[in-house]
Amino acid sequence: PAPPDLRSLASDMCRIFEAIELWPGSYPGSLVAAQATLGIATLFLPKDEKHIMWCRQKLAAIESRGYTYPPTFRAKMAELWGLPEILHWWLPDDEGYPAIIRSIRSFIEERTLKSSEQAKTEDVRNMKAIFSKLTLDEGTKDDLKTNNN
């Protein structure tokens, strides 16, 4: 459990976040600008159902407005809350999961997989090039000097 002063500070940060969300005069993009503050605050809030669901709703609201939390953040939150389903989406039954976000995530996952496979292929190709130039002939020192020039 977080120390009481951190829990209190996290609660204050969440109240400010919610005020930004609900205030009619908030600038467009204000929630996305405050996403890091919320991300940190979630680490120190109580781990009960009420607080976790509130956090999940706010994290989903941020992502639905265009910010994408990295998979490592989602994985850490899934571990912290014991909810592996949030690796997929913050809310149950894909509630509030915009089609555009699904499409972007799918594209990123595909690109990541392809680039990983490409890197492996390129590594093998580079290794072949290195070893193709390697010779293991037994020769004299004069032969080596001739080959290097």
Side-chain angles (χ1 to χ4, degrees):
D5 57 334
L6 280 179
R7 243 182 288 146
S8 175
L9 184 59
S11 292
D12 290 345
M13 292 164 55
C14 291
R15 279 191 283 282
I16 292 169
F17 182 86
E18 194 154 74
I20 293 169
E21 181 182 29
L22 298 175
W23 186 49
S26 289
Y27 292 105
S30 296
L31 280 187
V32 175
Q35 60 77 25
T37 303
L38 180 68
I40 293 169
T42 59
L43 300 172
F44 301 106
L45 291 172
K47 308 299 181 262
D48 59 26
E49 189 176 331
K50 174 185 162 188
H51 285 90
I52 290 171
M53 185 50 78
W54 183 89
C55 291
R56 290 174 70 180
Q57 290 169 342
K58 299 309 171 191
L59 294 167
I62 289 171
E63 283 213 41
S64 67
R65 286 174 171 84
Y67 182 82
T68 302
Y69 282 101
T72 51
F73 179 77
R74 284 197 310 271
K76 182 62 181 167
M77 298 315 295
E79 178 186 328
L80 185 67
W81 293 334
L83 299 169
E85 65 269 18
I86 65 174
L87 289 170
H88 172 69
W89 180 241
W90 297 110
L91 298 174
D93 302 320
D94 288 349
E95 178 188 331
Y97 192 13
I100 188 72
I101 302 298
R102 290 175 206 229
S103 182
I104 290 169
R105 279 192 181 175
S106 174
F107 175 76
I108 290 170
E109 287 170 9
E110 184 180 315
R111 294 285 299 194
T112 303
L113 181 62
K114 280 184 181 178
S115 67
S116 170
E117 290 172 1
Q118 262 183 336
K120 289 176 187 174
T121 303
E122 288 176 18
D123 287 346
V124 170
R125 198 176 312 128
N126 290 338
M127 293 295 287
K128 283 182 180 178
I130 290 170
F131 286 115
S132 70
K133 295 178 182 176
L134 181 67
T135 58
L136 300 174
D137 293 342
E138 290 185 27
T140 64
K141 286 184 182 180
D142 291 333
D143 291 339
L144 288 175
K145 287 180 185 174
T146 307
N147 287 339
N148 286 335
N149 294 331

